[in-house]
Amino acid sequence: MADIQTMQQHLLREVHIDPDTTDTNSQVTNDVKIAIIEAIRFNRRYRLGFNDAWYTFTSEVDVDRYPLPVDYLGLVQDSVYTVPSYDYMSKTKLKSIPLQQANQVRQSSAASIAYRESGPPYAFAIDTAEREMVLLPIPSQSGDIVE
């Protein structure tokens, strides 16, 4: 994935302006930078080479919250899968649920510690304030890959 300076240099060359001799703080380079940012924002909902990333992590026993990548902006689509550590050929699509619903499930299971729902995850929620993904139920085994 190209960074903004590389994209800026490519665009300047496309309009026949030499990026090596153009001042980095000129009006032209600022206009090009603004155009790139606006294009990224406009195309945020589409999967394109410059706005797409793949992230995976491995589940741990009794851990339901996992940090999101630093450059995470949002999901293009709600396609999150879990792949069991013992069977790489089978994927399970996780259901996207609102964070409020995930918190209600977590609070009801925390009230009765004797019964904490655990098992293979079937749903997820994104906590944007904490920048974390919440898996439901709490994973009962380590090593499952979430992608």
Side-chain angles (χ1 to χ4, degrees):
M1 181 159 103
D3 62 357
I4 192 150
Q5 286 184 326
T6 305
M7 287 190 268
Q8 186 175 350
Q9 289 174 350
H10 286 300
L11 278 173
L12 286 170
R13 283 192 187 101
E14 284 290 319
V15 293
H16 305 289
I17 297 173
D18 186 4
D20 300 326
T21 59
T22 305
D23 182 24
T24 57
N25 293 325
S26 72
Q27 185 65 39
V28 172
T29 55
N30 286 336
D31 289 347
V32 168
K33 192 180 295 184
I34 289 169
I36 292 169
I37 291 168
E38 287 176 356
I40 290 171
R41 284 186 181 144
F42 179 78
N43 291 295
R44 182 175 283 168
R45 64 183 172 266
Y46 302 110
R47 295 183 88 162
L48 302 169
F50 63 84
N51 70 354
D52 193 18
W54 191 265
Y55 179 66
T56 63
F57 61 88
T58 305
S59 67
E60 298 176 28
V61 175
D62 293 333
V63 177
D64 64 340
R65 291 182 158 262
Y66 297 87
L68 294 170
V70 176
D71 57 352
Y72 173 82
L73 296 175
L75 295 174
V76 175
Q77 56 192 11
D78 291 340
S79 294
V80 176
Y81 297 91
T82 179
V83 182
S85 59
Y86 56 85
D87 184 8
Y88 291 106
M89 297 302 288
S90 64
K91 280 186 175 182
T92 303
K93 185 173 181 178
L94 300 181
K95 180 182 175 187
S96 175
I97 61 172
L99 181 62
Q100 201 171 20
Q101 182 180 349
N103 286 336
Q104 287 173 348
V105 170
R106 290 176 70 234
Q107 287 171 356
S108 65
S109 67
S112 94
I113 293 296
Y115 175 74
R116 282 180 57 190
E117 186 181 1
S118 67
Y122 60 82
F124 75 96
I126 302 293
D127 186 345
T128 53
E130 298 293 326
R131 300 194 53 79
E132 293 177 326
M133 177 182 280
V134 180
L135 294 181
L136 290 171
I138 299 168
S140 59
Q141 69 180 24
S142 299
D144 290 351
I145 299 170
V146 179
E147 54 184 40

